[in-house]
Amino acid sequence: MSTLTLDPARKTSEEGPQNGRGSWPAAPRLSGTAWLVWRQHRAAFWTIIAFTLLAVTAMVILRGQTMDYLRTLEPTQKRPGGMPPEFDTYGNLIAEVGGYLSYFPVLAGVLLGAPFIAGDLETGTAKLVTSQSVSRLRWLTMKLAMPAALVALSTGVLGAVFNWWWSPVKGFVTQVEWTSGGIFDVTGPMAVAYSLLTFAVGVAVGLLLRRTLVSMVVTLGIVVAIGFVWDELRSRLGHIVSASTDKGVGPGAKQPELPDMAVQQGQGTYFLTSSGDRLDWTTCLDKMDDGKAHTACLESKHVVGWTKEYLPIEQMATMQWLGAGIMLTATAAIVAFIVVWGRKRLL
């Protein structure tokens, strides 16, 4: 059965543009399982659409204000670390909005995914629907496809608009690093992949537990756990780069400078030896009170300079696609489980 059909209720109009048969073109409308899924969950769908439109409108307005402020500055002021203090207001806004958007995957899993099938199993709707001419596979497919498409569209639009706002000023925003969830997870392919993963997790939990409230609580715990794991994994997707000096560490020696927007990794600055080994910054810390003793201690360990490890922002896109690939692969595996389990043990 097609999900789009012509509306027979449309009447021939006597005025306005007409088709070749003298009647208005019929408007497509949903029918069958597509209509049922939309009808069941239209409140949630309209909420997502309304939230997306409001968020996009707000970000467009805020970007306009940010760009208007930048146009008032002199070219010499537009440099990293040299922006006037007034720009902090706009940097804080970007950081706050990015932080809010990073909660979308939680909402997609807990409020949309978990109750989506669990609610039908709990109320008996699933049994009623599948006892008719609708197969379990067809019902499951539509229950997954329609909300997943809406989640992907919503997060894709939000991520694109936020990136449009952040990109022109990313070199000036010091309130948030690009490796944080408020930037990395809400732009590019990550915005879509993360929300689809949590949505699939919520649906799978609801399918197994078959109780709405319990499914939502369990999904929240799993999504939070995924967030903790992802925070640890995110930076490991990139290739760490080192910047070093070999002019000594005594008075007047300068530590290595990092490129703009580079995110320092590890414990900070390490001592570098002549053999290329790294020593922790606590090396000879017990002799810090005596400058000569401290210098002698470092020289005895053949320290010739400092080294720092960092991730350059040029790796951001590659890291995002790699992370999105991991999440989409996990999502595909979960969806396959949902389909196989649902066809055999749905009711």
Side-chain angles (χ1 to χ4, degrees), residues 5-29:
T5 186
L6 299 181
D7 188 352
R10 297 298 296 262
K11 302 298 183 180
T12 302
S13 174
E14 297 181 356
E15 299 180 0
Q18 298 178 338
N19 62 17
R21 295 187 298 273
S23 62
W24 284 93
R29 63 184 178 88

Side-chain angles (χ1 to χ4, degrees), residues 167-215:
S167 290
V169 296
K170 59 185 178 183
F172 312 135
V173 178
T174 59
Q175 289 82 353
V176 60
E177 297 175 339
W178 62 266
T179 54
S180 67
I183 297 293
F184 190 93
D185 295 344
V186 300
T187 58
M190 280 300 306
V192 176
Y194 202 163
S195 293
L196 287 179
L197 173 61
T198 56
F199 169 73
V201 167
V203 173
V205 171
L207 183 64
L208 292 174
L209 299 184
R210 310 170 73 91
R211 294 291 184 270
T212 301
L213 184 59
V214 175
S215 299

